[in-house]
Amino acid sequence: MKKIDLNMDVGEGMNNEDLLFPYISSCNIACGGHAGDVKSMRSVIQLAKEHGVRIGAHPSFPDRENFGRVAMSMSSDELRSSLVAQLTAFTRIAAECRAEVHHVKAHGALYNLAAKDQEVAKVFLSAVGELKKVPIYAPIGSEMALLGKQFEVPVIYEAFADRNYNEDLSLVSRKHTEALILDPDQMLIHVFEIVRSSRVKTITGKYKHIKADTLCIHSDSDNSQNLVKSLYDNLIREGIQISALQ
C-alpha cells in the first residue's frame, strides 16, 4: 500500500489544531521565531500526542512582525544562534512532554532561502545537526536537501498540497493571485499528480518531476479544515495510507 505523510504548520496562533489533527500524521510547531511560545508549544505537543501526530520543530527568522515571511539580513552566526535557541527551547519542552522530536522544518522565508542559498542552507543544517540524526522536511533538489548528507542530517522530501509551483520548483510568491490552491477539487488534481505520477503542473502549464514523502497543507487558510478533510478522505478512498515516515 502506498503511503504519504500529511503535515501542517501549527502553533501559530490560529488555535484550530483540534479541528485539523484528526486528518494529519505530522505537524510543524512554531518555536518562537515567527510565532509560538512555551505555552503554545506545550499545548500543541500534548494535543499532537493525543491524536498520534508526530511532532516537528518549525524554526524561522526571528521576525514576528512579518510572520517570518520576509528574509532578514543576519550574519551566519546570528542566524545560527537564533535557530539553535529555537530548537533548544522546542526540544526541552518536547522532553518535558515525553514526546519525540520527529523532524525539523524551516518556516517561510527561511525555508525558501535555504532551498536556493547554499550558505543559508549550511547554517540551517548546522543548527539542526545539533539534534543528532533528526531529519528535515525539504524540497527535492534544494540546497538543504543536497547538503543534508554532508551535515549528517537525513532528508524527507516535501511538496505542497496548497501552493502552486514555478518551473524551477520554487513556490509561486504569495504576492501572486494564483499562489495558493484553495479549491478542494483543484487541490486534489494537484496532489494526485504528485502522489501518482511524481510530477507537478507549474504555473506556466508545464509539468516538472517532483518527489514527495510528505505533503504540507497550511493551517491558516480560511477553509483549512475543509481542505485537509477533503484531501484526507480522498487519499484514503484511493487506498493511500496517511502515515508519517518512521
Side-chain angles (χ1 to χ4, degrees), residues 118-136:
Q118 189 175 91
E119 292 309 309
V120 174
K122 287 179 177 179
V123 173
F124 173 64
L125 288 165
S126 173
V128 175
E130 300 266 333
L131 303 185
K132 307 300 181 188
K133 304 294 185 182
V134 172
I136 58 168

Side-chain angles (χ1 to χ4, degrees), residues 10-13 29-41 64 67:
V10 295
E12 298 176 325
I29 303 173
C31 44
H34 66 292
D37 54 25
V38 171
K39 182 179 179 181
S40 64
M41 283 186 269
R64 288 174 175 262
F67 200 65

Side-chain angles (χ1 to χ4, degrees), residues 111 139 158-172 178-179 181 190 194 200-206 208 210 215:
Y111 184 98
E158 178 180 49
F160 287 80
D162 58 358
R163 294 291 303 273
N164 274 312
Y165 282 82
N166 296 308
E167 286 187 22
D168 64 357
L169 292 186
S170 63
L171 297 177
V172 173
E178 295 183 43
I181 303 172
H190 176 78
I194 295 172
V200 63
K201 187 176 182 180
T202 68
I203 197 73
T204 61
K206 294 182 179 179
K208 293 291 183 177
I210 199 169
L215 291 169

Side-chain angles (χ1 to χ4, degrees), residues 2-4 140 157-159 165 169 189-202 206-215 240:
K2 188 172 182 61
K3 296 180 181 180
I4 193 75
I140 188 171
Y157 293 125
E158 178 180 49
Y165 282 82
L169 292 186
I189 294 170
H190 176 78
V191 164
F192 279 118
E193 284 287 351
I194 295 172
V195 173
R196 290 173 174 161
S197 304
S198 298
R199 66 178 192 170
V200 63
K201 187 176 182 180
T202 68
K206 294 182 179 179
Y207 288 92
K208 293 291 183 177
H209 172 73
I210 199 169
K211 177 176 172 57
D213 302 306
T214 183
L215 291 169
I240 298 170

Side-chain angles (χ1 to χ4, degrees), residues 181-190 227 230:
I181 303 172
L182 300 177
D183 177 81
D185 293 334
Q186 289 300 314
M187 179 183 288
L188 290 175
I189 294 170
H190 176 78
L227 287 173
S230 172

